[in-house]
């Protein structure tokens, strides 16, 4: 469909791409990979026609329609959300006008056998086909479906676009692109402004999307779910892998290993040649032999090992200060902004060492709850920190709160106290600030660099409670993995907000969902929660349809209710499995104690050991409690 032929792009004598070629086929799902600055966004601009190649060409069929979503763009104002989104159907209007003209000619012309008349019929057929493909017959229904999938509610449709933040306006632009149904979608970090549910919806949308997709993303799960092909841009070249991102990483590691082995073998041969040349070049009888080796060396094509950027932040959180068992208690907590209620009656207890995730759509109150815990805003009810809790708070826009006039070193050095001041340079080095980088002003740092610097500040105190609001913003995939491992190893308590499912997976096993003004607890991980939400979303969709077509709803709703029950059963079964494992461990310990008591020699030693019998009785009491819990769960199941 699209052919990239021997393309070179140069800036000031330096090449970003050098003679690269590849094809984009219909229905391809391509992820662009490569380190920051490799040229991924430039490649999308070339494909979109917003930038030209220095050499070579990009061949795009005339009828191929391209949709491009850049990271930053100018938004239009003066329309409602519905009106602005409806501009996506500009093509329909043009096609309908053209069709009207063709129909008029077909009605008035009499040259039925002419080529011109047959061409009109062909054009008419093509227009009808295109109108059907882009959904001309149900525009409003399509607009509503896309907007709701991306997180808008019906009450938002008639609001002015200017009332929304940049992130929400970017969703409107994405909605317009999806409604246009281009032959190829070019998406540069499309998940940056989406919450987990909107990302999940977009993944499902991509499953049935008829066109091709080329995208850039730092969301590993999104890449793995959507893409089936990965094109890596490295050292001005491209490597094409017919697989998703995770498998590409494995294949790339194998490629680098093969290159390194080939380079070592070649260097061994070069060393041997050079030794023989030095030994024989001064001998008249061996001069010809030495010259032949020199010619071989000159003709030898040196094996290159691709310069893969393996730099990533390297750190672990300092051991946290001791705190009480109960870290945070919430009783009737809620928040109202003006006349708008965000949520109410949040009741929960968080204990020492727990890793909690706050999930839900944007605007439901996740970040507000973080601000409430940090005492940054007023609120209803109570949020009580436990004994000796020392809290560190990473806000969503934490990097914007850094003093732009200070240097990187000054930012950390002035915040460091005690022994930590001696380790400032090493600490900065672990966050990739090395050499002259530490003397850079904050105002010249990129978004990713400011994010890393803000994270670095968190390590200056031995906090035992971390509040992390979107800590992975601007971080690349490798740095996210390092931060994730550090949080898994962290011995303190964590409360986090993140739209990155891969990041949350393995950290949080207890979630608080903010939805429709309420806070609901889920005793599961993010993957199980997403399955529960998928079922609930199916039910919501069916209820919407019921308002339009009551007679078609009953069967579908019953099926979906059964799916919801299956999701609930799965959650109960997981709880039963955990209880059964605990029962098995307790029974094993009791059995060991019984064997000791049954042995006369052992019994003589234990008869006066009150500590042993106290532990023995405690084990039996715990067993009774867990058996009772097991019965209750089975009854519930």
């Amino acid at each position: 469909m699209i052919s990239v032929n021997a393309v070179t792009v140069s800036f000031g004598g330096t090449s970003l791409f050098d003679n690269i070629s590849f094809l984009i086929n219909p229905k391809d799902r391509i992820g662009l990979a490569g380190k920051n600055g490799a040229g991924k966004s430039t490649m999308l601009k070339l494909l979109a026609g917003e930038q030209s190649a220095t050499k070579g060409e990009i061949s795009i069929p005339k009828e191929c329609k391209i949709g491009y979503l850049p990271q930053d763009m100018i938004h239009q104002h003066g329309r409602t959300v519905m009106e602005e989104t409806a501009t996506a159907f500009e093509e329909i209007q043009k096609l309908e006008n053209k069709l009207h003209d063709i129909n008029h000619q077909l009605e008035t012309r009499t040259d039925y056998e002419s080529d011109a008349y047959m061409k009109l019929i062909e054009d008419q057929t093509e227009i009808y086909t295109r109108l059907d493909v882009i959904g001309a017959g149900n525009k409003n229904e399509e607009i509503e479906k896309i907007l709701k999938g991306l997180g808008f509610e019906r009450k938002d449709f008639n609001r002015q676009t200017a009332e929304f933040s940049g992130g929400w306006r970017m969703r409107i632009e994405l909605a317009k692109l999806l409604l246009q149904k281009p032959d190829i979608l070019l998406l540069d970090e499309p998940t940056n402004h989406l919450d987990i549910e909107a990302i999940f919806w977009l993944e499902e949308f991509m499953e049935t999307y008829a066109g091709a997709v080329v995208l850039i993303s730092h969301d590993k799960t999104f890449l793995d779910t959507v893409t089936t092909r990965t094109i890596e841009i490295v050292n001005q070249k491209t490597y094409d892998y017919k697989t998703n991102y995770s498998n590409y990483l494995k294949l790339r590691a194998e490629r680098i290993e093969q290159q390194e082995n080939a380079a070592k073998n070649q260097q061994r041969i070069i060393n041997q040649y050079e030794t023989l040349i030095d030994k024989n070049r001064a001998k008249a009888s061996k001069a010809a032999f030495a010259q032949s080796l020199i010619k071989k060396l000159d003709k030898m094509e040196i094996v290159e090992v691709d310069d893969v950027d393996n730099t990533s932040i390297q750190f672990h959180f300092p051991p946290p200060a001791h705190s009480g068992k109960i870290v945070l208690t919430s009783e009737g907590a809620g928040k109202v902004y003006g006349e708008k209620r965000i949520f109410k009656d949040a009741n929960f207890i968080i204990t020492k060492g727990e890793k909690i995730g706050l999930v839900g759509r944007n605007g439901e109150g996740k970040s507000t709850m973080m601000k409430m815990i940090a005492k940054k805003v007023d609120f209803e009810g109570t949020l009580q920190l436990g004994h000796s809790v020392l809290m560190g708070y990473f806000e969503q826009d934490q990097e914007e709160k850094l003093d732009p006039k200070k240097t990187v070193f000054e930012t950390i050095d002035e915040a460091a106290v005690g022994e930590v001041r001696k380790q400032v340079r090493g600490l900065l080095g672990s966050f990739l600030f090395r050499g002259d980088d530490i003397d850079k002003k904050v105002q010249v740092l990129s978004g990713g660099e400011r994010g890393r610097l803000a994270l670095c500040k968190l390590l200056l105190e031995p906090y035992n409670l971390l509040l992390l609001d979107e800590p992975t913003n601007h971080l690349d995939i490798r740095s996210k993995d390092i931060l994730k491992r550090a949080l898994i190893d962290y011995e303190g308590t964590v409360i986090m907000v993140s739209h990155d499912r891969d990041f949350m997976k393995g950290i949080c096993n207890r979630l608080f969902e903010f939805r429709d003004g309420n806070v609901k607890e889920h005793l599961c991980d993010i993957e199980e929660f997403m399955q529960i939400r998928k079922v609930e979303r199916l039910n919501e969709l069916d209820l919407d349809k019921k308002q339009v077509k009551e007679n078609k709803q009953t069967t579908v709703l019953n099926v979906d209710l059964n799916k919801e029950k299956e999701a609930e059963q799965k959650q109960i079964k997981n709880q039963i499995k955990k209880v059964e494992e605990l029962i098995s461990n307790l029974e094993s310990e009791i059995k060991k104690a019984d064997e000791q008591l049954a042995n006369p020699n052992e019994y003589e030693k234990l008869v006066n050991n009150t500590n042993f019998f106290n532990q023995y009785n405690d084990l039996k009491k715990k067993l009774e409690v867990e058996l009772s819990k097991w019965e209750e769960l089975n009854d519930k199941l």
Side-chain angles (χ1 to χ4, degrees):
M1 184 167 67
I2 293 180
S3 174
V4 178
N5 301 310
V7 165
T8 295
V9 174
S10 300
F11 301 103
T14 303
S15 291
L16 189 61
F17 308 129
D18 184 16
N19 198 37
I20 64 173
S21 302
F22 60 87
L23 291 173
I24 300 174
N25 304 301
K27 297 189 177 182
D28 263 347
R29 297 290 189 270
I30 300 172
L32 295 183
K35 66 182 182 180
N36 292 339
K40 300 188 294 294
S41 293
T42 301
M43 179 55 70
L44 288 191
K45 289 175 183 175
L46 290 169
L47 294 171
E50 296 203 355
Q51 193 167 318
S52 300
T54 308
K55 293 180 184 176
E57 63 173 359
I58 297 178
S59 302
I60 302 175
K62 186 178 178 182
E63 68 278 5
C64 181
K65 184 179 174 67
I66 293 178
Y68 173 47
L69 183 78
Q71 284 194 52
D72 301 298
M73 61 193 306
I74 298 172
H75 304 284
Q76 301 298 320
H77 297 306
R79 299 190 184 104
T80 66
V81 171
M82 192 74 170
E83 290 167 345
E84 179 61 34
T85 310
T87 61
F89 292 104
E90 182 181 359
E91 181 187 2
I92 289 178
Q93 187 64 50
K94 289 179 179 177
L95 289 172
E96 287 176 341
N97 291 339
K98 191 175 179 181
L99 186 63
H100 178 76
D101 180 57
I102 290 173
N103 288 336
H104 177 70
Q105 290 189 58
L106 291 174
E107 289 171 5
T108 56
R109 291 175 62 157
T110 57
D111 54 334
Y112 308 120
E113 302 298 325
S114 69
D115 291 341
Y117 195 89
M118 295 306 295
K119 181 68 168 63
L120 285 173
I121 294 175
E122 289 175 10
D123 290 346
Q124 182 193 51
T125 303
E126 286 181 7
I127 291 173
Y128 275 128
T129 302
R130 182 61 186 169
L131 286 171
D132 183 54
V133 167
I134 59 181
N138 53 349
K139 287 186 291 188
N140 289 341
E141 185 180 333
E142 284 291 304
I143 290 172
E144 183 171 332
K145 183 179 80 172
I146 298 294
L147 287 176
K148 289 188 74 176
L150 291 173
F152 291 93
E153 298 180 19
R154 277 202 186 92
K155 62 185 179 183
D156 297 323
F157 293 175
N158 293 320
R159 291 172 60 190
Q160 291 289 314
T161 58
E163 297 177 32
F164 292 87
S165 67
W168 282 97
R169 291 200 295 272
M170 191 62 78
R171 293 189 191 207
I172 296 172
E173 297 302 325
L174 177 56
K176 286 160 62 176
L177 270 187
L178 299 181
L179 286 164
Q180 288 166 9
K181 299 180 181 176
D183 299 298
I184 178 168
L185 266 175
L186 307 175
L187 305 175
D188 197 345
E189 296 289 358
T191 65
N192 271 1
H193 304 288
L194 302 182
D195 52 47
I196 287 177
E197 292 191 33
I199 294 171
F200 194 68
W201 175 87
L202 184 58
E203 289 174 353
E204 290 181 326
F205 182 91
M206 290 296 176
E207 286 181 12
T208 56
Y209 185 70
V213 180
V214 182
L215 65 90
I216 301 166
S217 179
H218 284 158
D219 187 325
K220 189 175 178 182
T221 302
F222 184 73
L223 281 171
D224 281 346
T225 304
V226 173
T227 64
T228 55
R229 183 178 166 197
T230 303
I231 294 179
E232 180 190 21
I233 303 172
V234 58
N235 295 346
Q236 306 170 11
K237 305 188 292 287
T238 58
Y239 292 92
D240 200 340
Y241 297 86
K242 304 297 189 288
T243 187
N244 65 15
Y245 184 80
S246 289
N247 287 328
Y248 142 73
L249 290 178
K250 298 173 185 174
L251 294 172
R252 182 188 66 170
E254 292 174 6
R255 183 192 87 220
I256 299 299
E257 185 179 359
Q258 289 169 359
Q259 288 178 342
E260 288 174 344
N261 290 336
K264 287 177 184 176
N265 290 334
Q266 186 182 62
Q267 188 59 47
R268 196 178 298 116
I269 293 170
I270 290 171
N271 292 341
Q272 290 172 353
Y273 280 9
E274 288 176 343
T275 301
L276 289 170
I277 290 167
D278 290 341
K279 188 183 293 184
N280 296 298
R281 72 194 321 164
K283 299 177 183 177
S285 60
K286 298 286 186 178
F289 172 63
Q291 284 299 317
S292 69
L293 291 179
I294 290 171
K295 288 179 181 178
K296 281 186 178 181
L297 279 179
D298 290 339
K299 291 179 181 179
M300 188 178 288
E301 188 174 336
I302 300 300
V303 174
E304 291 184 0
V305 178
D306 289 321
D307 180 22
V308 179
D309 182 15
N310 289 316
T311 57
S312 57
I313 57 176
Q314 299 287 341
F315 77 99
H316 60 272
F317 288 99
H322 291 292
S323 70
K325 185 174 182 181
I326 294 177
V327 172
L328 178 66
T329 303
S330 175
E331 294 182 357
K335 180 62 182 174
V336 176
Y337 283 111
E339 296 181 357
K340 183 180 180 182
R341 173 165 290 283
I342 308 302
F343 62 86
K344 63 179 180 179
D345 295 331
N347 298 291
F348 54 82
I349 294 174
I350 296 174
T351 58
K352 182 178 179 180
E354 283 195 289
K355 311 283 171 64
I356 306 294
L358 307 187
V359 296
R361 296 172 298 189
N362 287 349
E364 293 280 2
K366 304 184 298 294
S367 293
T368 299
M369 172 59 83
M370 299 290 256
K371 289 184 174 73
M372 288 163 55
I373 296 170
K375 311 297 184 189
K376 298 277 185 180
V377 295
D378 297 328
F379 55 89
E380 301 169 347
T382 61
L383 283 165
Q384 184 65 48
L385 292 177
H387 178 67
S388 298
V389 171
L390 184 60
M391 179 173 57
Y393 179 31
F394 183 91
E395 297 183 68
Q396 191 170 146
D397 57 349
Q398 187 73 36
E399 66 274 10
E400 302 301 328
K401 299 184 186 303
L402 300 172
D403 187 339
K405 295 180 181 178
K406 290 182 179 176
T407 66
V408 169
F409 182 81
E410 288 168 347
T411 300
I412 301 301
D413 187 55
E414 291 177 14
V417 293
E419 289 296 312
V420 178
R421 294 202 67 176
K422 300 175 183 177
Q423 305 168 28
V424 167
R425 290 182 183 274
L427 189 60
L428 285 169
S430 68
F431 280 83
L432 308 185
F433 295 107
R434 299 175 180 129
D436 295 338
D437 291 340
I438 67 173
D439 296 320
K440 285 182 180 178
K441 296 282 189 183
V442 170
Q443 61 192 9
V444 303
L445 299 180
S446 67
E449 287 171 328
R450 288 198 301 271
R452 296 202 308 268
L453 187 60
L455 270 174
C456 185
K457 286 188 73 174
L458 271 185
L459 301 189
L460 300 178
E461 295 277 354
Y463 299 117
N464 47 37
L465 170 62
L466 293 178
L467 305 181
L468 305 176
D469 194 354
E470 298 290 4
T472 62
N473 278 358
H474 308 299
L475 293 184
D476 59 36
I477 292 176
R478 284 193 306 278
S479 294
K480 285 182 187 179
D481 289 340
I482 298 294
L483 177 57
K484 178 177 178 176
R485 286 198 290 272
L487 286 171
I488 290 172
D489 295 338
Y490 176 60
E491 296 173 1
T493 307
V494 177
I495 304 173
M496 74 160 65
V497 176
S498 178
H499 66 256
D500 191 318
R501 290 156 297 163
D502 182 72
F503 182 72
M504 293 184 75
K505 185 171 62 178
I507 297 177
C508 303
N509 52 20
R510 186 178 173 208
L511 306 173
F512 294 145
E513 180 189 15
F514 289 70
R515 189 173 184 82
D516 298 330
N518 298 301
V519 181
K520 181 181 178 182
E521 182 180 6
H522 293 269
L523 297 173
C524 61
D525 63 11
I526 190 64
E527 289 183 315
E528 190 173 335
F529 167 76
M530 292 310 301
Q531 289 304 311
I532 292 170
R533 281 299 300 127
K534 183 177 181 180
V535 171
E536 291 175 351
R537 194 165 59 255
L538 284 170
N539 289 336
E540 289 165 6
L541 179 63
D542 289 327
L543 288 172
D544 282 345
K545 289 179 181 177
K546 186 177 180 180
Q547 295 172 6
V548 182
K549 296 181 179 180
E550 190 76 32
N551 59 328
K552 289 186 179 181
Q553 179 56 35
T554 306
T555 303
V556 179
L557 185 60
N558 287 338
V559 170
D560 291 330
L561 287 172
N562 287 336
K563 288 181 179 178
E564 186 175 7
K565 285 181 180 178
E566 287 174 7
E568 291 175 1
Q569 285 177 337
K570 183 179 177 183
Q571 194 169 353
I572 296 169
K573 285 176 181 177
N574 286 339
Q575 292 173 348
I576 290 173
K577 184 179 178 181
K578 291 177 183 177
V579 171
E580 285 176 343
E581 288 175 356
L582 187 54
I583 288 172
S584 176
N585 291 336
L586 289 168
E587 286 178 339
S588 177
E589 291 184 48
I590 290 171
K591 183 180 178 182
K592 288 179 183 177
D594 286 335
E595 287 172 354
Q596 285 181 283
L597 292 172
N599 186 320
N601 294 331
E602 289 289 327
Y603 182 80
E604 288 295 326
K605 297 176 184 176
L606 296 171
V607 68
N608 294 319
N609 188 339
T610 55
N611 188 43
F612 173 84
F613 286 98
N614 287 339
Q615 290 178 349
Y616 181 69
N617 289 327
D618 285 342
L619 287 172
K620 289 198 167 186
K621 287 177 183 177
K622 287 179 182 177
L623 181 60
E624 288 177 13
V625 170
E626 295 304 321
L627 286 170
S628 176
K629 191 184 295 183
W630 182 85
E631 289 177 1
E632 289 176 8
L633 287 169
N634 275 280
D635 288 341
K636 191 175 180 182
L637 185 64

